[in-house]
Amino acid sequence: MTTTQSAPAQGFTALFDALRDGAAERERSAERPHDLVDQIKASGILGLRVPVEHGGHGATLREFFENLIELARADSNLAQALRAHFGYGEQLRFVPEDAARAAFAVLAGGEIVGNAITEPAGAHSGDFAGLSTTFAPDGDDWRITGTKFYSTGTLYADRVWVWGVTPDGLPASAVVPLDRDGITVVDDWDGFGQQASGSGTTHFENTPALAAEVGVAGTEPPPRLALGAFLQLYLTAVIVGNLEAARDDAVAVLQARTRNITHGTAELPRNEPVLLAQVGDIASKAYAARSIVLDVAAYLDEADAELTAGRFDSGVGERAGLRAAEAKVVVDRLALDAATALFDVGGASATRSGANLDRHWRNIRTLASHNPTRLKAQVIGDHVINDAELPDNTYF
């Protein structure tokens, strides 16, 4: 099954094919696909959004999300693992040119940036000022101490984006090499989905960070303007990739079936009207979900242009955030329904562990649980009815 792709996507077809090969079997194993991560690094896709003048592809956000959906369709675990990497790159678009130049070079050069933001207890999600990880002054430099959970992608990364607070209670962040003293990455993520996304624990024990690596609140761009809508749409796009993989499997399963139910209306399952309608419904949901995400990406491109020009009060960031939230509310349901319907296409044999068709539902359910859909729907309703302000954090 083919999809319309932009020019940048065409350049990564070989990578997507390599990731897709053996994905179902790989997802069942405890092995981590470091060899495929090396292929990702060598492909150039890590610099997809890096400006051309800094060695990247300079893709628009619509082009980026087209590629991301294809990446997630091939392997949603590795697509999710790169979320912090690409999110960090979006933030770089709003920092001074001198500071951005070296950082962009790292991204375009094939190094992966992981994340160490969320903590296992304490601060609410999105509360950067309430983090327990500390950035302690050490002369002109800093020392970082703390424990992070949901460190998605850090298992495969070369550097890590860590957040904490200074002794004055100001949010601070740094991107430091993962071979720096005091950093321990633990592969202990035990969710039933996205098992190879590298979303475990990261410990920092008096880890040194250079002054040039650290940014303190007041020197960072507003989270929502730079990151919020992008990071939320990123998860939804990975869900769409999962949904398209489920559609692909629905097609393959029905084409391969040779035994129908006795009281069916056709000799072969592939000619059974009920089963054909089921696959048609799954395919339609996949098309709708992709279209929704790419429509929101156009809003993000508009916001990117406005914010890059310094027009921070035009409302485009808020509008993009609203559209990304609305997309999640709908796409989550489309994807979960389709992943469940896959078993109606395959019958009892589709539940065999060897087929691993349940991975689509497990992965989608895990991704959809990151930020509760009902909380988003409630905020959206309050906004459209009462003109309530939207949350100003990267979790909306």
Side-chain angles (χ1 to χ4, degrees):
M1 186 168 295
T2 60
T3 57
T4 301
Q5 294 181 341
S6 64
Q10 295 288 351
F12 301 115
T13 300
L15 172 66
F16 301 146
D17 288 344
L19 296 181
R20 188 176 295 110
D21 185 29
E25 295 77 12
R26 186 167 65 245
E27 201 264 356
R28 287 200 311 271
S29 73
E31 296 182 9
R32 299 298 179 239
H34 291 282
D35 58 329
L36 295 177
V37 172
D38 289 339
Q39 292 187 48
I40 288 174
K41 292 179 178 181
S43 72
I45 198 171
L46 297 175
L48 193 57
R49 279 282 289 161
V50 174
V52 173
E53 60 269 27
H54 293 300
H57 294 276
T60 66
L61 282 161
R62 182 184 174 90
E63 290 169 339
F64 171 81
F65 280 103
E66 285 179 325
N67 280 278
L68 177 60
I69 289 171
E70 290 298 322
L71 179 62
R73 179 182 170 192
D75 190 314
S76 67
N77 284 267
L78 293 179
Q80 186 195 1
L82 298 175
R83 183 172 176 242
H85 174 92
F86 288 115
Y88 175 64
E90 290 303 299
Q91 177 167 283
L92 290 178
R93 303 172 75 85
F94 300 94
V95 303
E97 178 70 15
D98 289 344
R101 184 179 296 108
F104 274 137
V106 168
L107 303 188
E111 291 192 36
I112 293 177
V113 175
N115 95 87
I117 298 174
T118 304
E119 296 178 350
H124 294 307
S125 298
D127 177 12
F128 293 96
L131 295 172
S132 62
T133 297
T134 59
F135 278 63
D138 182 24
D140 293 332
D141 299 320
W142 301 82
R143 293 274 176 173
I144 306 171
T145 299
T147 295
K148 301 290 186 176
F149 193 44
Y150 298 129
S151 303
T152 304
T154 302
L155 183 68
Y156 308 112
D158 303 283
R159 300 172 188 247
V160 62
W161 191 15
V162 55
W163 283 78
V165 294
T166 69
D168 297 326
L170 295 175
S173 68
V175 174
V176 298
L178 267 170
D179 59 4
R180 191 69 59 81
D181 289 344
I183 300 179
T184 304
V185 179
V186 185
D187 185 13
D188 60 352
W189 166 241
D190 62 353
F192 60 61
Q194 296 297 108
Q195 294 171 346
S197 59
S199 298
T201 302
T202 305
H203 300 285
F204 297 84
E205 298 180 12
N206 206 32
T207 299
L210 303 177
E213 297 170 331
V214 176
V216 178
T219 63
E220 301 283 353
R224 181 171 49 168
L225 295 180
L227 288 176
F230 175 87
L231 290 173
Q232 294 307 305
L233 190 63
Y234 193 106
L235 289 174
T236 303
V238 177
I239 287 175
V240 173
N242 266 298
L243 169 52
E244 292 194 348
R247 175 205 57 201
D248 294 343
D249 275 347
V251 171
V253 165
L254 188 53
Q255 288 177 334
R257 285 186 63 180
T258 58
R259 297 169 61 247
N260 202 1
I261 300 296
T262 303
H263 52 276
T265 62
E267 179 65 23
L268 291 174
R270 65 184 301 152
N271 296 322
E272 178 65 56
V274 173
L275 298 180
L276 291 174
Q278 191 68 273
V279 173
D281 184 71
I282 293 172
S284 299
K285 285 181 168 69
Y287 170 75
R290 173 184 278 258
S291 299
I292 289 169
V293 166
L294 296 184
D295 182 68
V296 179
Y299 281 94
L300 285 173
D301 271 321
E302 178 187 7
D304 184 55
E306 287 287 295
L307 300 177
T308 300
R311 294 186 285 270
F312 291 94
D313 298 322
S314 63
V316 293
E318 290 81 355
R319 185 160 59 249
L322 176 63
R323 294 293 177 248
E326 291 172 330
K328 173 183 168 57
V329 171
V330 175
V331 170
D332 283 0
R333 295 170 183 169
L334 291 175
L336 287 168
D337 286 349
T340 300
L342 173 58
F343 296 97
D344 293 325
V345 175
S349 61
T351 67
R352 298 179 66 180
S353 60
N356 200 24
L357 295 178
D358 62 307
R359 74 187 188 282
H360 302 304
W361 187 93
R362 289 187 288 100
N363 290 338
I364 291 168
R365 181 66 269 174
T366 300
L367 289 160
S369 298
H370 272 63
N371 299 294
T373 305
R374 290 184 179 181
L375 283 180
K376 295 224 180 202
Q378 179 270 324
V379 169
I380 293 167
D382 198 16
H383 176 75
V384 299
I385 296 296
N386 302 312
D387 199 29
E389 290 188 8
L390 301 175
D392 188 7
N393 64 64
T394 58
Y395 285 79
F396 178 73

